[in-house]
Amino acid sequence: MTAEPTNFLYPFIDSEERDSSALLVDLAASARGKMAQSRELQLATLAQWAGVVETVGAEMAARFARGGRLYTFGNGGSATDAEMTAEIFRHPIKGRPLPAWPLVDDRAVLTALANDVGFELVFSRQLIAHARADDIALGLSTSGNSNNVMHAFGEAKHRGLMTIGLAGYNGGAMAGNDKVDYCLVVRSDSVHRIQEAQDALVFELWSVVQRLLADQSTLEGSSK
Amino acid sequence: MPNPLMSDERELAIDFAALESAADNLAAAALSLARRFAAGATMWCVAPNWSAHGRHVAVEFVHPVIMGKRALPAIYVNDDDLLGALRVLVRPGDLLCALGTAEDGKLTSLLRRSEAWGLTTTWIGAGPRPPASAADHLLWVDGVDPEIAGSAGGYVVLYHLLWELVHVVFEHPGLLVEPPACTDEVCITCSDEGRLVEVVETREDDTAVVLAQGHRERVDITLVGPRQPGDLLLVHAGTAITALEDSEL
């Protein structure tokens, strides 16, 4: 339990606090304040990366059109965001379902690789097995420093994949790294707010890919 | 840094006004969760259509993003037989965090039983609202398509904040003590009104062993006729007075 730094002056105050009404008001106000921060950061992030998202979406759409797959990866909350990213491409709310798979999905593969070759290689080893040059590697790391994510980018780049990194803070090891074709940094130092803005970026990327593929299939349709 | 003046020119997929309307419920949920955790509860996370979110909720609590915050027991359950799995896993006093829509039959069936199992429930969802009584704490994103709330960063804001607020409550040790449940002479839980129970097994003498608030007791089922394990009953003074449909939330 974290104590306030000044609590030693009033040793009985916290433990004798019984009325929760003031705390509930504070909690709700804190929730509203953080929601406002999340919204501002999401808007600012989308505005900052609008041009890049368009470029990345176009290359992703071209790779999907050539039969490429999207592989996603990350650790912890970012692993679940990788799972969600693959999910929204594979089972879209509208538009075309696209081949996307999270490399965090299979506990047998993850534990086998972690146990036998090391946790830093759990994603790169899967790319060695699965990846082709037309594929796309998308890694998430709020710090931008996750070792296994960086190893996966190295392997992906080596195999001709397109590499996309989503990071937070100042981008960490991902920023300016030649293994990462496109590094989209959410400028914040709160892991939660970073992940929320990354989700907004992923959704925006998905929207751009869907729009471009829809335009393309319209063109294909009209040429017949 | 991004230019904040640019911000308002864009629209987000998520309507944040809808999220903000959940702020008061978030506060109440955080207080309740912190008290249950302090008393030793495990939080069971279920999200049949959004395993990514279910896992994300659990990992937030088990492995805090802020160093020094305590690890709390939260487990994501992924089982084709969700009811069967949770029925044996939960202990009375545990927490259930459900994520999904009011149309999700697996969730409604589970939430329906939470009172019989003695669980405190939080339900994160979007789309048409379930009745307020469907969960102890409803964190609902009104007016937003559930698929958008799930994929464009709506649910995630709610459960991130739930975690953050639970840890704020932990900084108030005096408030972690749950107030006594029965303070009045007439208490809903133990007197006039029917209690919801789940049948565990039936006996040949027109009685059944049921789970009531997570504890086994024997009740008379003469009035409601033959019953199966898993059936839900309303019980008053040791007698089952009504058989309930699974889907009635």
Side-chain angles (χ1 to χ4, degrees), chain A residues 2 4 23 26-27 30 34, chain B residues 30 34 69 161-173 176:
Chain A
T2 315
E4 296 294 327
L23 177 65
D26 285 353
L27 293 176
S30 165
K34 287 177 174 184
Chain B
K69 296 294 181 193
L161 290 177
L162 185 61
W163 178 85
E164 290 176 32
L165 298 187
V166 163
H167 284 277
V168 174
V169 179
F170 273 119
E171 292 165 14
H172 298 259
L176 290 174

Side-chain angles (χ1 to χ4, degrees), chain B residues 67-196:
Chain B
M67 293 260 284
K69 296 294 181 193
R70 64 159 81 174
L72 294 167
I75 298 178
Y76 169 70
V77 184
N78 182 24
D79 194 309
D80 288 338
D81 178 12
L82 209 47
L83 275 186
L86 283 162
R87 190 181 281 120
V88 296
L89 284 167
V90 301
R91 298 187 192 116
D94 275 354
L95 293 159
L96 178 73
C97 181
L99 189 147
T101 67
E103 281 98 50
D104 186 329
K106 283 191 170 183
L107 284 190
T108 52
S109 203
L110 195 55
L111 284 151
R112 192 80 178 104
R113 285 166 168 75
S114 56
E115 180 189 338
W117 295 356
L119 304 179
T120 299
T121 55
T122 303
W123 190 355
I124 298 171
R129 249 180 199 260
S133 60
D136 296 302
H137 305 287
L138 275 186
L139 306 179
W140 219 255
V141 192
D142 288 311
V144 174
D145 179 328
E147 292 293 328
I148 299 284
S151 51
Y155 292 154
V156 67
V157 173
L158 291 180
Y159 57 73
H160 276 162
L161 290 177
L162 185 61
W163 178 85
E164 290 176 32
L165 298 187
V166 163
H167 284 277
V168 174
V169 179
F170 273 119
E171 292 165 14
H172 298 259
L175 298 179
L176 290 174
V177 183
E178 248 158 323
C182 302
T183 45
D184 299 328
E185 294 262 314
V186 179
C187 162
I188 291 171
T189 318
C190 34
S191 111
D192 277 348
E193 304 210 1
R195 293 172 304 140
L196 192 150

Side-chain angles (χ1 to χ4, degrees), chain A residues 136-208:
Chain A
I136 304 155
L138 187 153
L140 302 107
S141 167
T142 53
S143 66
N145 292 325
S146 298
N147 239 333
N148 50 14
V149 170
M150 294 314 296
H151 273 283
F153 283 137
E155 192 59 48
K157 198 70 199 142
H158 175 64
R159 287 169 183 271
L161 279 75
M162 172 193 190
T163 53
I164 307 161
L166 298 188
Y169 297 91
N170 61 2
M174 266 192 217
N177 193 309
D178 57 10
K179 297 173 191 167
V180 187
D181 296 332
Y182 301 97
C183 175
L184 286 74
V185 181
V186 176
R187 299 284 176 191
S188 165
D189 54 9
S190 156
V191 170
H192 287 159
R193 303 295 89 78
I194 291 166
Q195 286 178 348
E196 290 153 15
Q198 286 181 340
D199 287 350
L201 271 176
V202 165
F203 190 77
E204 191 70 7
L205 264 182
W206 169 83
S207 306
V208 170

Side-chain angles (χ1 to χ4, degrees), chain A residues 69 71 103 109 113 121-132 135 155-156 159 161:
Chain A
R69 279 184 202 148
Y71 293 105
L103 299 182
V109 171
L113 291 171
L121 301 178
V122 291
F123 303 134
S124 57
R125 285 287 180 125
Q126 292 188 70
L127 288 175
I128 292 172
H130 307 315
R132 296 186 187 177
D135 293 340
E155 192 59 48
R159 287 169 183 271
L161 279 75

Side-chain angles (χ1 to χ4, degrees), chain A residues 52-99:
Chain A
V52 177
V53 164
E54 200 68 28
T55 308
V56 173
E59 187 173 340
M60 288 176 80
R63 283 172 175 261
F64 281 127
R66 295 201 298 270
R69 279 184 202 148
L70 168 64
Y71 293 105
T72 60
F73 41 89
N75 298 282
S78 297
T80 69
D81 286 344
E83 183 186 352
M84 196 184 71
T85 301
E87 180 87 10
I88 68 174
F89 277 86
R90 205 168 62 234
H91 299 295
I93 51 180
K94 59 180 181 188
R96 191 192 291 194
L98 294 165

Side-chain angles (χ1 to χ4, degrees), chain B residues 87 108-117 195-199 210-211 224 227-235 240 242-248:
Chain B
R87 190 181 281 120
T108 52
S109 203
L110 195 55
L111 284 151
R112 192 80 178 104
R113 285 166 168 75
S114 56
E115 180 189 338
W117 295 356
R195 293 172 304 140
L196 192 150
V197 306
E198 185 187 41
V199 175
V210 299
L211 272 180
V224 294
R227 291 289 120 194
Q228 300 289 322
D231 283 357
L232 298 175
L233 307 171
L234 272 187
V235 167
T242 316
L244 299 170
E245 291 299 319
D246 216 287
S247 53
E248 286 171 24

